[in-house]
């Protein structure tokens, strides 16, 4: 075992050294190669620039002989593989080597094309060559040709090989040194590690008295000391394990009881049901003889008894409940739990005879608090003296909090139900008031209109033209008021569901002719009313009066809000199935307002009628579209609004 630990430590250390050394070796090779190539590329660009400067004059005057001699002299450099000089069009003037392409041919490879497009020197590595090229510029800055030089990479590869060889030798030396150090160090660490392992095994087998000798100041010494501390801690915790296990079981049972009680009391919103379920579950899960609930009455300002378990509730309410009497009131005032070990002899109890009669001894009262407000007190009694421990009081306080939330929700529900009932009653009163007032206002308004019409028609004496105009305005305004009263009356009938649809066959041509006749008189505006109605309208099955009323309302609204321009009323018959008509969509998916047709005897194809009223008036803003069908609602409801109604 000693040999295995030592061998693993040596192998691990050697692997780390090998990994680090290998990484450094590979990185140095990569970086060295990059630096060598970058240096060679820089020198090659500089050499190419020097060559360019030497041939500027010969290229400018096309002295090919002299330029060829200069290029051949450059070949003395072993790194220069070839040179090409071209005219501005890329045609080779001289290659200095007699290679391929020859003089007179155009350079067409991709590097040459990139060189022709570039304004500076460009370079590219291709196989065993580094190509460098660029434009040759005249003194005035104009391009007089291009120079391309191919440099051999043999020198670069040789330099890289030498650098790699040197790095490899250094890496091998470092690995050998690291391996020796690993062997030496492993020996000094193996022995204390084995001692710690044997001690840990003994502790694991239950021999918690095992201790290690600590004679080192490094991490292994700290580990040995920590092992001793662990053994001591395990000895202490072993004594607590049984107690914690029993306590955990009790807590789990308590959590289960709390969960079941919470689920039960939140299953109902009726206050009495909540209290009955609460006391029933307390009796089922908790070993107490009696439990009671008192709730604070905001109206009376008293803590009133409302429910009890295993106790004569009627007697308890009469005997126990008096203002300011009993320990429950003290719990309510302090908002803190109260424990009384012996209720029959404690001075804080005002009526000990009641406890003696029912043989109640110990008492615990906990406040029921929800959302920071105390709602009442939950009390527990035992028939034998019982010491309520801190954990028990905490558990019952949590239970009281859950009960308080359920009671709070029940009270909120009762308030909401009462508010809903009051609102429903208020709506009925409002509808009845509007209906009665509408009926009462129509009668005198009809009388006013009748007598005013008689005066205007001269039945009660002659009148002049100005008086006739004034009476006409009175009749017009009275007619508007009568229409408004009728609309209110219809709204109340709709709200009370007193309006029924009376469907029958309706001839659309006759109905629209009747509607059109109401607008035969001038509108008093620069406004034209256009009727786009086909001549072959069918007979439909609907409530004609209500359809007529809807169309008139739409047309009147369009006329009201259009000062000039036109109002167009159009009717179209469209084919489609019943679902499309109900959804208000045509075949293209566009939203429409529609009515179903009753198929005639000659055609059973389902179809529907589309009515449209379009105007050139002020329109309705998009954000107000959702409110236009609400009762008694206008987009502009200010006192300075331009349009009435």
């Amino acid at each position: 075992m000693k040999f295995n630990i030592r061998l693993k430590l040596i192998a691990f250390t050697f692997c780390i050294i090998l990994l680090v050394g290998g990484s450094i070796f590979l990185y140095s090779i990569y970086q060295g190669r990059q630096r060598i190539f970058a240096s060679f590329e820089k020198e090659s660009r500089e050499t190419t620039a020097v060559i360019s400067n030497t041939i500027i004059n010969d290229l400018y005057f096309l002295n090919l002989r002299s330029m060829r001699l200069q290029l051949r002299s450059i070949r003395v450099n072993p790194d220069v593989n070839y040179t090409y000089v071209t005219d501005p069009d890329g045609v080779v003037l001289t290659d200095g080597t007699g290679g391929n392409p020859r003089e007179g041919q155009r350079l067409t490879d991709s590097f040459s094309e990139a060189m022709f497009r570039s304004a500076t020197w460009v370079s590219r590595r291709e196989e065993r060559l580094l190509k460098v090229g660029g434009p040759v510029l005249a003194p005035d800055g104009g391009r007089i040709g291009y120079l391309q030089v191919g440099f051999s990479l043999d020198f670069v590869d040789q330099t890289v090989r030498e650098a790699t060889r040197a790095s490899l030798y250094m890496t091998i030396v470092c690995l050998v040194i690291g391996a020796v150090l690993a062997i030496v160090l492993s020996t000094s660490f193996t022995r204390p590690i084995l001692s710690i392992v044997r001690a840990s095994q003994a502790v694991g087998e239950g021999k918690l008295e095992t201790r290690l000798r600590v004679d080192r100041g490094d991490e292994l010494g700290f580990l040995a000391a920590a092992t001793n501390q662990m053994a001591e801690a395990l000895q202490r915790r072993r004594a607590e394990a049984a107690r914690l296990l029993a306590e955990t079981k009790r807590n789990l049972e308590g959590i289960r009881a709390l969960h079941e009680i919470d689920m039960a009391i939140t299953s109902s919103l009726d206050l009495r049901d909540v209290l009955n379920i609460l006391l029933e579950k307390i009796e089922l899960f908790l070993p107490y003889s009696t439990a009671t609930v008192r709730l604070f009455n905001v109206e009376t300002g008293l803590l009133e008894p409302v429910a009890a378990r295993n106790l004569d509730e009627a007697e308890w309410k009469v005997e126990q409940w008096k203002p300011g009497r009993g320990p429950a009131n003290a719990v309510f005032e302090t908002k803190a739990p109260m424990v009384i070990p012996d209720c029959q002899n404690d001075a804080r109890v005002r009526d000990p005879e009641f406890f003696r009669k029912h043989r109640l001894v110990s008492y615990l009262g906990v406040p029921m608090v929800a959302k920071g407000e105390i709602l009442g007190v939950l009390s527990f009694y035992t028939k034998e003296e019982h010491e309520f421990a801190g954990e028990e009081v905490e558990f019952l306080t949590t239970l009281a909090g859950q009960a308080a939330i359920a009671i709070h929700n029940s009270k909120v529900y009762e308030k909401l139900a009462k508010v809903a009932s009051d609102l429903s009653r208020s709506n009925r009163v409002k509808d009845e008031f509007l209906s009665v007032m509408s009926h009462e206002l129509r009668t005198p308004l009809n009388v006013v209109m009748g007598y005013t019409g008689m005066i205007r028609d001269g039945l009660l004496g002659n009148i002049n033209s100005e008086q006739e105009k004034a009476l006409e305005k009175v009749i017009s305004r009275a007619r508007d008021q009568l229409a408004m009263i009728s609309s209110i009356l219809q709204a109340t009938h709709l709200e009370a569901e007193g309006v029924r649809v009376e469907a029958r066959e309706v001839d659309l041509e006759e109905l629209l002719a009747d509607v059109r006749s109401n607008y035969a008189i001038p509108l008093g505006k620069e406004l034209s009313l256009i009727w786009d109605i086909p001549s072959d309208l069918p007979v439909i099955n609907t409530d004609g009066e209500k359809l007529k009323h809807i169309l008139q309302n739409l047309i009147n609204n369009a006329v009201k809000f259009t000062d000039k321009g036109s109002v167009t009323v159009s009717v179209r018959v469209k084919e489609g199935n019943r679902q499309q008509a109900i959804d208000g969509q045509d075949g293209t998916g566009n939203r429409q307002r529609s009515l179903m047709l009753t198929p005639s005897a000659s055609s059973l194809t389902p179809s529907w009628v589309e009515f449209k009223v379009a105007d050139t008036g002020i329109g309705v803003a998009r954000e107000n579209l959702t409110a236009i069908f609400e009762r008694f609602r206008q987009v502009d409801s200010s006192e300075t609004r331009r349009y009435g109604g």
Side-chain angles (χ1 to χ4, degrees), residues 95-113:
D95 59 359
T97 62
N100 186 27
R102 298 181 181 277
E103 296 178 359
Q105 295 180 349
R106 189 180 188 279
L107 297 178
T108 58
D109 59 287
S110 61
F111 176 75
S112 299
E113 294 296 334

Side-chain angles (χ1 to χ4, degrees), residues 265 268-278 406-407 410:
I265 61 179
S268 174
L269 288 174
D270 182 76
L271 180 58
R272 190 64 198 181
D273 290 343
V274 169
L275 296 176
N276 290 336
I277 294 173
L278 172 64
I407 293 171
S410 299

